[in-house]
Amino acid sequence: MTIERIESTERMSRIVKHNGTIYLCGQTAGDAEWDITEQTQRCLDKIDALLEKAGSNRDKILSVTIYIRDMKDFAAMNKVWDAWVANGEKPARACVEARMARDVILVEMSVVAAQ
């Protein structure tokens, strides 16, 4: 059983593949000028790109954990999310309010997908 680590740094790998399962590191798009809508869309764009690089796509996502800095942004984040998954298979999902590593980060997503 081989574990493949893609785009690794000293701290982490952006993609890990094992036994036909793909694990993505948490995706953020923190910029002080971007609101929750823009950050959510940019996270989802990054997820699309990483899944493609790993040989998968959004229809094969098994689960997503969404960390949101403030639940007041939950509806706006969901509006972007709902449009993104509208034509695909809906993954299992959890969304929790969390303190972020940097103040400008409003949302972070962690993804597990099938290859």
Side-chain angles (χ1 to χ4, degrees):
M1 294 187 191
T2 303
I3 299 173
E4 182 181 357
R5 300 175 196 282
I6 302 169
E7 294 187 24
S8 296
T9 67
E10 292 176 8
R11 183 167 291 146
M12 63 179 204
S13 298
R14 292 189 72 200
I15 302 167
V16 175
K17 294 167 66 173
H18 178 259
N19 257 6
T21 304
I22 298 164
Y23 304 87
L24 302 183
C25 68
Q27 297 303 301
T28 64
D31 186 307
E33 296 178 14
W34 298 336
D35 64 7
I36 188 67
T37 300
E38 182 71 19
Q39 286 196 26
T40 300
Q41 186 60 58
R42 288 178 183 253
C43 283
L44 296 173
D45 293 345
K46 289 169 80 175
I47 289 166
D48 276 334
L50 288 171
L51 287 173
E52 182 178 338
K53 185 170 193 165
S56 189
N57 63 61
R58 73 176 80 159
D59 292 340
K60 296 179 180 177
I61 294 176
L62 303 171
S63 69
V64 178
T65 302
I66 300 173
Y67 304 93
I68 190 167
R69 189 175 85 184
D70 191 327
M71 279 297 174
K72 73 174 176 49
D73 291 329
F74 186 70
M77 181 275 300
N78 273 328
K79 186 173 181 180
V80 178
W81 169 267
D82 291 344
W84 188 73
V85 296
N87 296 323
E89 300 296 324
K90 310 299 191 267
R93 189 186 105 162
C95 184
V96 297
E97 187 174 65
R99 217 170 349 156
M100 301 298 187
R102 293 183 293 126
D103 288 342
V104 297
I105 298 172
L106 303 178
V107 63
E108 181 171 350
M109 297 183 190
S110 181
V111 172
V112 177
Q115 192 162 3

